[in-house]
Amino acid sequence: MSDIETTLKTLREAVLLAPGNFPLTRHYVRTLLDLTRFSEAERFLRETVLERNREPDFQLLLAEVFYRQGKNSHAMAIVETWCNPENLHRPALILHAKLLFRNGDVSRAVQEYKRAVEGDESLVDHEFASLLGITEWNEDHAEGSDSEGASDESAWSEVVDGKIRALPGDEESAENPLIERPKIKFDDVGGMDQVKEQIRVKIIYPITHADMFAAYGKKAGGGILLYGPPGCGKTYLARATAGEINANFLSIGINDVLDMWLGNSERNLHQVFENARRSRPCVMFFDEVDALGASRSDMRQSAGRHLVNQFLAELDGIDSDNEGLLILGATNTPWHVDGAFRRPGRFDRVLFVPPPDAKAREEILKIQLADKPVDNIDLSKIAGKTNDYSGADLKAVVDAAIETKLHEAIRTGHPTPLKTNDLLTALKTARPTTREWFATARNHALYSNQGGTYDEILEYLKLK
């Protein structure tokens, strides 16, 4: 019997002798979790511990096991029982916040985390708080400081690094988009050297060499439209652009703007731009920009045209100064974007983001495997067998290989590092998702290529 098995056996026997000892039970279960023996931990709690002890701490430990396995609905069913004011157990609020954050509900996650920590400062989780965009709790405030002008919200300072959303109580909480101060830079983005250089010229250099640009009367600002097959890193590249110049980053999706009531979409879009202007220098990133700036000639209703007109007015800065506002848009269907967006001063650079080449695929795989246990993986061999794979496709291959290794580790009780053959095996069931996009893009590039906009697609497909 190995040393690990001996230790686990001793711990298990100790827990069975003292079923009410929660710290001991928690230590044994978390040891199993660290060894990725999730099923064993779940079975032990269900069949052994909870048969004897139904205290909230033990039930929440099972919820933690579910959380670690990604069984979010199972964990939530337990956690919500202990989050009600009539039946409140504060450690449950922390796990509830983590589940909400995992589901994308950042605002409620912040509320639950604050509710837990304000009642018990021993529950402070600095790592999770940074993900939520919350800096350290002000201890003076927690002790009941009555400073003039202080409020409940002032105990939480604004974020410098990481993500923030307007905290509950902020009068603009419903309108502020997600704000970040990204830490990633271009070095964290595999490949795309030509696209990066275009972004440097258009967006980064006017900020980092402001005096030189000012001498020529050139202001910092403007827009770039990124297009290409999905999963090739357009969003990641936009975040890295903000990281390169240490700027604020606002990611705006269609849900942040579109509204069913007439006129509200235009108002929401204006508010988004106003928030960005207050946060300059700021990189605004519009994902699926074709949904907000679709071709007006294809529209039957005037409401869509009004939104496009509002978008164009905001880009032009007719009523506001857009200096220091750097705008990136991304789309998989550039042929559906209104042509007016490509005029100078708007999205006047249209850049094709192709699937990564072999060298870039090798870099992406290296980044994807950086924090994983590996054993002499031949990255160049994997890269050579993944032609047309997007960055997302490569991540899916790595994830599939890891899942196989996890199942093996759970079965044997011995985790082993990833090897080249593990990735090659995962490749057998993987297919590049970019080919379907190119099938559509090819027709537009051949027959609707006014002004040579899609020449880069033709060059990539070797049709020019």
Side-chain angles (χ1 to χ4, degrees):
M1 185 179 293
S2 67
D3 291 341
I4 292 177
E5 293 301 327
T6 301
T7 301
L8 288 175
K9 181 181 178 181
T10 302
L11 281 172
R12 182 186 179 92
E13 291 174 350
V15 172
L16 294 175
L17 289 172
N21 189 327
F22 176 69
L24 183 60
T25 303
R26 180 176 56 194
H27 177 61
Y28 173 60
V29 170
R30 287 184 175 174
T31 301
L32 290 175
L33 294 179
D34 290 341
L35 293 171
T36 68
R37 293 164 71 161
F38 302 117
S39 298
E40 187 176 341
E42 180 183 336
R43 187 167 56 253
F44 177 74
L45 283 171
R46 281 178 178 274
E47 300 175 0
T48 306
V49 176
L50 293 180
E51 286 297 320
R52 306 186 190 184
N53 198 318
R54 304 293 297 181
E55 291 297 315
D57 284 333
F58 292 90
Q59 292 190 42
L60 288 173
L61 188 58
L62 177 59
E64 182 181 339
V65 173
F66 286 143
Y67 175 78
R68 292 281 293 273
Q69 294 180 86
K71 296 180 178 179
N72 297 342
S73 59
H74 291 67
M76 189 68 82
I78 297 174
V79 167
E80 287 182 340
T81 303
W82 301 102
C83 288
N84 295 325
E86 303 82 15
N87 201 26
L88 180 61
H89 188 64
R90 291 198 179 274
L93 296 174
I94 296 293
L95 188 51
H96 192 212
K98 291 181 178 180
L99 287 164
L100 290 169
F101 181 77
R102 179 178 283 182
N103 290 335
D105 194 343
V106 180
S107 181
R108 286 187 62 204
V110 169
Q111 286 180 320
E112 290 296 85
Y113 179 83
K114 290 176 62 180
R115 193 153 68 103
V117 174
E118 286 170 349
D120 184 353
E121 290 185 42
S122 68
L123 297 175
V124 169
D125 184 334
H126 297 294
E127 183 177 352
F128 179 56
S130 68
L131 287 175
L132 290 175
I134 299 174
T135 55
E136 294 184 3
W137 174 245
N138 185 328
E139 294 181 2
D140 291 337
H141 182 92
E143 293 171 359
S145 173
D146 293 324
S147 300
E148 184 178 354
S151 67
D152 291 340
E153 301 301 331
S154 67
W156 301 91
S157 59
E158 283 191 347
V159 177
V160 175
D161 293 317
K163 301 178 179 179
I164 62 173
R165 188 180 289 273
L167 297 178
D170 190 317
E171 61 184 5
E172 295 182 350
S173 62
E175 299 174 346
N176 280 344
L178 192 66
I179 301 174
E180 300 177 43
R181 185 66 68 84
K183 297 180 181 178
I184 61 171
K185 297 181 182 295
F186 281 171
D187 289 341
D188 300 307
V189 181
M192 295 194 281
D193 293 335
Q194 185 176 356
V195 179
K196 289 176 186 175
E197 185 57 29
Q198 291 279 353
I199 292 176
R200 286 191 183 97
V201 171
K202 176 66 178 175
I203 288 181
I204 295 176
Y205 292 156
I207 295 290
T208 57
H209 299 81
D211 293 342
M212 189 176 298
F213 275 73
Y216 286 90
K218 180 69 173 175
K219 295 183 178 181
I224 291 178
L225 180 63
L226 305 173
Y227 78 94
C232 289
K234 295 184 286 293
T235 302
Y236 199 67
L237 182 62
R239 281 196 172 87
T241 300
E244 282 285 312
I245 55 177
N246 195 31
N248 287 319
F249 179 76
L250 273 68
S251 179
I252 302 102
I254 57 176
N255 291 334
D256 296 309
V257 176
L258 296 184
D259 192 286
M260 65 181 292
W261 302 109
L262 191 65
N264 276 6
S265 296
E266 294 91 298
R267 184 185 64 83
N268 292 342
L269 183 62
H270 175 70
Q271 186 60 54
V272 164
F273 271 87
E274 285 299 300
N275 291 334
R277 291 174 184 123
R278 288 194 293 267
S279 305
R280 289 180 280 194
C282 182
V283 175
M284 300 181 72
F285 176 66
F286 288 89
D287 199 8
E288 299 180 85
V289 72
D290 50 286
L292 303 176
S295 177
R296 286 169 289 185
S297 62
D298 296 335
M299 295 179 182
R300 295 183 179 180
Q301 297 181 345
S302 61
R305 295 191 186 95
H306 291 325
L307 180 59
V308 173
N309 292 336
Q310 180 70 37
F311 203 164
L312 294 172
E314 297 293 345
L315 290 174
D316 291 338
I318 294 175
D319 297 321
S320 305
D321 181 11
N322 282 349
E323 183 176 3
L325 209 59
L326 317 168
I327 304 168
L328 292 173
T331 178
N332 300 326
T333 56
W335 38 86
H336 290 157
V337 177
D338 196 285
F341 282 94
R342 299 176 189 168
R343 292 176 186 168
R346 297 169 182 173
F347 292 118
D348 47 6
R349 296 280 180 94
V350 180
L351 303 182
F352 175 52
V353 181
D357 58 21
K359 180 181 177 182
R361 292 196 296 273
E362 191 171 338
E363 291 180 22
I364 291 169
L365 286 167
K366 185 176 180 180
I367 292 170
Q368 290 289 341
L369 295 167
D371 58 347
K372 312 290 191 305
V374 297
D375 183 14
N376 296 321
I377 290 182
D378 188 347
L379 296 179
S380 61
K381 184 175 183 179
I382 305 299
K385 292 181 177 294
T386 51
N387 191 38
D388 290 337
Y389 277 63
S390 68
D393 293 334
L394 294 173
K395 184 179 185 302
V397 170
V398 172
D399 288 344
I402 289 173
E403 287 177 9
T404 301
K405 297 297 284 186
L406 279 173
H407 292 159
E408 179 184 324
I410 292 170
R411 186 178 66 254
T412 63
H414 300 288
T416 56
L418 286 167
K419 298 182 180 180
T420 303
N421 283 338
D422 296 317
L423 293 174
L424 291 175
T425 300
L427 271 176
K428 292 179 181 178
T429 58
R431 296 290 182 272
T433 59
T434 64
R435 290 175 182 170
E436 183 179 351
W437 184 87
F438 276 110
T440 301
R442 178 180 182 275
N443 293 329
H444 286 278
L446 285 173
Y447 307 117
S448 302
N449 192 20
Q450 295 88 351
T453 302
Y454 307 127
D455 283 352
E456 291 173 300
I457 295 177
L458 296 176
E459 291 174 4
Y460 183 86
L461 295 174
K462 296 181 172 57
L463 296 174
K464 182 178 180 180

